Amino acid sequence: MRMATNCCRRRLEVSDNRAVQLLIKLGHQVTSRLWRLGFASRFFLAIFLHSGTSFRRMHLTFREIYFTGVMSLIIILVSGLFVGMVLGLQGYDTLQRYGSAEALGILVALSLVRELGPVVAALLFASRAGSAITAEIGLMKATEQLSAMEMMAVNPIARVVAPRFWGGVISMPLLAALFSAMGVFGGYLVGVVLIGVDSGSFWSQMQATVDFREDVVNGIIKSFVFGVIVSWVAVFEGYDCEPTAEGVSGATTRTVVTSSLAILAADFVLTALMFRGV
Amino acid sequence: MNQEPLVQIRDLSFSYDNRKILSGVNLTIPRGKVVAIMGSSGCGKTTTLRLIGGQLKPTSGEVRVNGQVVHELDSEGLYAMRRRTGMLFQFGALFTDMSVYDNVAFQMREHTDLPEALIHDLVLMKLHAVGLRGAHKLMPSELSGGMARRVALARSIALDPMLMMYDEPFAGLDPISLSIVGVLIRKLNDALGASSIIVTHDVQESLKIVDYIYFVSEGRIVAEGTAEEIRNSKTPYVHQFVWGEADGPVPFQYPTHNAYGDELLQKAA
Ligand SMILES: Nc1ncnc2c1ncn2[C@@H]1O[C@H](COP(=O)(O)OP(=O)(O)O)[C@@H](O)[C@H]1O
Ligand SMILES: [Mg+2]
C-alpha cells in the first residue's frame, strides 16, 4: 500500500495538469480504500478462526459483555424512554385525526421493534461502546501491549480482539430489546397516562397485531447484524490504527462515522429483504 | 552445556518498504552472557530485537536461535520459541487492565495448567526477585516508571526463559532505579542461566554489567568488544559515543541537499 502512495506522489509532482492530478488523487483514494476493505475482510476471517478461546474461556467474553453492556445501559434506557415518549405524542397527533387513537399501542410497538429499537440502539452503541473498544485496542497497540502479548506466544486476535468482538455481538440484541421495552413504556406513559388513550385497547391491539416471526424476530436479526457491523468496525479500527495518540483518536472517530453509516445502509438492505409488500 | 551460541545472526539485512534499516549485520550471543547492542536512536536496535523474536522477517540473511532459523519456523514453532524467550519492552508494555499480580501470572495462566495456588507462589517469588512483592495488588497506573519496568521484568521471566531481550531498559529512569534495573538484569541472567541481549544507548550503565558490546551505526556493526576494550577504544565513532561528544563522525546537522548559504540567497532573490 505504501509503495502505491510513493509512486503516486512522484507522478503527482511530474504532472502539472490540474485535472490529471485530481484524477490521480481520486484513483489513489479509491485503491487505498479497497485495500483497507480487503484487510478488514481478512481480519474478519481471522477473528472467526481464532474465536475458540472466546468460547472455551467464556469468562473472557462475559467480561467484555459486562463492560460494553454496563457502559451503554444507561444511555440506552434513557434514550429508549424519550424516543418512546416522542412516538407517543407524534403518533397520537396523527392517529386521532383518523379517529383511531386506540391504535397508538400498535404504532409505538411496531416502530420500535422493527426499526427504531435496532437502529437507534446500534447508533448509540457505536458511539458509546464501539469508540471505547477502538480506543482501548488502539492504546494497547500504541503502548506495545499487543506486541508484548505476541512475544509471550499469545495471539492478540484470540486473546484481545475476539472476546471484544463477540461481547459486542452478544450485547447488541439485548440492548436493542431493552431499548424497545423502555420505548413501549415511554409510549404508554405519554399515550395512556398523560393523554388518556384507553389502556385496555393500547395493550390488546398491540398484542393482537405485533407478530412474533414477522416483527420481533426480524428486529432481532437486524440488531444482530448491526452488532456484527459495529463490533467488526470497532475492533478493526483499533487493531489497524497508527500506534500514536493522533492515530488512536482518528481511529475512534472513524469507528463512529463508519459504523453509523454502515448501520443505516444495512438497515435499508435488511428492511428491503424483509419487506413482504402485502 | 551446549557450546553452540544461543543466538547467531548472519548477514542480516532488513528494509521497511524501500528504506534500508540493517545491512549485513553479523553478531553472536554466547550462552550465559549478557551482550549489549548500542547505537543512536533510530539506528535499528528495536528492529533487530523484533527480527530475533520473529515479529519481522529479514530481507536477507538469517537469525538462528538455539540452532533454529527463526524466519523458517511455522507459527507453532515460533510460539514454542517465544515461550522460552522473555522480552522487556521499551516502556514496559504492562497490560493496563490487569493488576501487577495478573500481569506476572499472565503467561503461566496462558501456557500452563498449574493450579492457582502454585501460580500464586510463583508470582510472588518472581515479584520478590525484583523487590516488588508488596506491590502485587497495585494497578500499572499506580506504579512509578522504575517500578513498572521491574514489574515488566518479573513478567518477562515468568516462565524462566533461556533468552532475555531488553529494549532500552534504562530509558527514562532516575539514577537509583537505573542501577537497580542494571543489577537486576545481571543477577537474573546468572540466576536463570539465561543469555541476555540489551539494546540501549546508555553507555556508562551497560559498561558496568555486560560481557560484550556491539556498536551499530547506519545499519552496520561498526565496532565490538568487551567492556574494557570499548572504554579504551580509539575508534572515532566509539569514542564519540562513549564520551558523549556532540560532533564527530556522527554529524550534528541533519543532512540537507543544499547549503544554508544557498537557501538564504534564494530567499533574498
Ligand atoms: N513500522 C515501521 N515502518 C516504517 N519504518 C519504521 C517502522 N518502525 C520503525 N521504522 C524506522 O526504522 C528505523 C529503526 O527503528 P528502530 O529499530 O525502532 O530504532 P531504534 O534503534 O531507536 O530502536 C527508524 O528510523 C524508524 O523510523
Ligand atoms: Mg527502539
Side-chain angles (χ1 to χ4, degrees):
Chain A
M1 191 153 64
R2 249 181 228 118
M3 259 161 59
T5 324
N6 288 343
C7 78
C8 287
R9 268 210 206 104
R10 207 173 330 115
R11 262 187 270 140
L12 276 183
E13 283 159 15
V14 170
S15 165
D16 288 336
N17 192 327
R18 277 270 167 78
V20 174
Q21 281 192 13
L22 208 69
L23 209 64
I24 292 173
K25 251 189 206 159
L26 197 71
H28 177 240
Q29 283 280 322
V30 171
T31 46
S32 76
R33 254 145 236 247
L34 278 177
W35 265 103
R36 243 171 94 75
L37 194 64
F39 280 136
S41 317
R42 280 177 49 187
F43 189 68
F44 193 58
L45 274 181
I47 294 176
F48 273 85
L49 284 178
H50 296 287
S51 284
T53 314
S54 314
F55 294 101
R56 230 178 306 117
R57 292 161 65 188
M58 265 319 261
H59 68 272
L60 292 177
T61 308
F62 279 136
R63 187 173 169 277
E64 300 311 325
I65 294 176
Y66 176 79
F67 277 121
T68 45
V70 164
M71 211 152 35
S72 325
L73 199 57
I74 296 288
I75 192 177
I76 293 275
L77 292 181
V78 173
S79 317
L81 186 69
F82 280 122
V83 168
M85 284 162 69
V86 169
L87 273 178
L89 281 176
Q90 296 278 21
Y92 177 79
D93 186 53
T94 310
L95 288 174
Q96 56 95 25
R97 293 181 204 181
Y98 305 98
S100 48
E102 312 77 49
L104 185 63
I106 304 175
L107 184 134
V108 169
L110 283 185
S111 340
L112 281 165
V113 171
R114 292 172 67 138
E115 239 358 274
L116 292 172
V119 174
V120 180
L123 292 175
L124 293 170
F125 186 72
S127 52
R128 188 71 187 82
S131 59
I133 291 174
T134 304
E136 195 191 9
I137 297 180
L139 278 175
M140 288 184 84
K141 183 175 181 187
T143 53
E144 296 193 308
Q145 293 179 49
L146 297 183
S147 258
M149 205 172 266
E150 251 175 46
M151 283 303 297
M152 288 187 236
V154 174
N155 186 333
I157 294 186
R159 185 62 175 67
V160 172
V161 171
R164 280 166 179 75
F165 175 81
W166 289 112
V169 171
I170 296 168
S171 315
M172 189 68 264
L174 300 175
L175 290 170
L178 284 174
F179 184 97
S180 296
M182 275 313 270
V184 170
F185 177 66
Y188 169 82
L189 274 187
V190 166
V192 177
V193 178
L194 217 64
I195 300 179
V197 174
D198 180 49
S199 165
S201 47
F202 181 88
W203 292 117
S204 66
Q205 293 217 14
M206 189 192 299
Q207 277 182 13
T209 315
V210 176
D211 182 66
F212 181 72
R213 172 71 198 76
E214 276 293 291
D215 304 319
V216 178
V217 170
N218 277 349
I220 294 176
I221 293 176
K222 273 188 180 177
S223 65
F224 175 76
V225 174
F226 299 160
V228 171
I229 291 174
V230 176
S231 310
W232 175 26
V233 172
V235 291
F236 175 71
E237 288 289 357
Y239 197 82
D240 186 59
C241 84
E242 201 185 307
T244 59
E246 302 87 64
V248 174
S249 79
T252 311
T253 314
R254 275 201 306 278
T255 292
V256 177
V257 174
T258 311
S259 54
S260 301
L261 288 178
I263 287 165
L264 294 171
D267 183 47
F268 172 72
V269 174
L270 286 173
T271 310
L273 288 176
M274 288 166 181
F275 187 71
R276 287 280 166 80
V278 193
Chain B
M1 205 160 110
N2 189 344
Q3 281 311 302
E4 180 203 21
L6 185 62
V7 180
Q8 279 177 296
I9 297 181
R10 292 220 186 296
D11 297 325
L12 183 67
S13 298
F14 180 80
S15 314
Y16 273 120
D17 303 327
N18 290 320
R19 232 180 95 217
K20 245 190 146 76
I21 309 289
L22 300 177
S23 37
V25 168
N26 285 294
L27 57 85
T28 305
I29 318 290
R31 285 172 201 267
K33 301 288 186 207
V34 179
V35 173
I37 301 176
M38 286 194 205
S40 34
S41 303
C43 73
K45 302 184 299 291
T46 302
T47 307
T48 311
L49 290 187
R50 288 187 191 279
L51 284 158
I52 298 173
Q55 286 189 320
L56 297 171
K57 284 210 185 315
T59 317
S60 69
E62 60 176 36
V63 178
R64 275 176 189 273
V65 175
N66 209 13
Q68 291 172 306
V69 178
V70 173
H71 70 264
E72 286 171 1
L73 292 171
D74 55 4
S75 68
E76 226 162 87
L78 194 60
Y79 273 19
M81 183 206 92
R82 286 181 183 168
R83 247 171 260 172
R84 306 192 54 201
T85 310
M87 176 144 173
L88 184 70
F89 280 80
Q90 193 159 351
F91 298 104
L94 291 175
F95 301 131
T96 37
D97 56 342
M98 296 180 200
S99 68
V100 165
Y101 180 97
D102 291 330
N103 262 284
V104 180
F106 183 78
Q107 281 197 87
M108 305 178 190
R109 289 182 178 145
E110 294 291 327
H111 295 313
T112 69
D113 294 324
L114 297 176
E116 200 58 30
L118 189 54
I119 288 185
H120 181 261
D121 292 346
L122 283 172
V123 168
L124 292 189
M125 201 175 84
K126 300 291 175 191
L127 282 170
H128 185 76
V130 299
L132 288 176
R133 190 163 45 110
H136 70 271
K137 284 205 183 106
L138 298 182
M139 294 302 284
S141 55
E142 299 170 291
L143 302 173
S144 72
M147 283 160 84
R149 205 69 55 87
R150 276 145 77 192
V151 172
L153 190 49
R155 182 182 67 176
S156 54
I157 56 165
L159 296 183
D160 298 336
M162 62 176 179
L163 172 65
M164 281 295 307
M165 297 192 273
Y166 299 92
D167 193 358
E168 313 242 358
F170 306 122
L173 294 186
D174 61 86
I176 301 176
S177 310
L178 201 132
S179 335
I180 295 178
V181 170
V183 170
L184 273 175
I185 290 175
R186 184 77 236 188
K187 258 176 45 184
L188 289 172
N189 184 73
D190 300 344
L192 289 168
S195 317
S196 303
I197 307 173
I198 305 181
V199 147
T200 178
H201 45 233
D202 191 314
V203 192
Q204 299 308 331
E205 194 55 37
S206 15
L207 283 177
K208 285 189 222 158
I209 58 164
V210 302
D211 299 306
Y212 203 79
I213 299 166
Y214 289 95
F215 276 92
V216 182
S217 173
E218 288 167 11
R220 298 175 178 285
I221 305 279
V222 291
E224 59 182 279
T226 62
E228 202 49 38
E229 290 166 1
I230 292 297
R231 256 196 218 101
N232 301 325
S233 170
K234 293 279 178 287
T235 317
Y237 176 81
V238 176
H239 193 266
Q240 186 191 359
F241 208 100
V242 172
W243 303 106
E245 286 153 2
D247 217 350
V250 181
F252 170 70
Q253 287 288 350
Y254 188 84
T256 87
H257 54 278
N258 52 350
Y260 189 46
D262 296 348
E263 225 168 278
L264 289 177
L265 283 176
Q266 263 174 9
K267 272 209 192 108

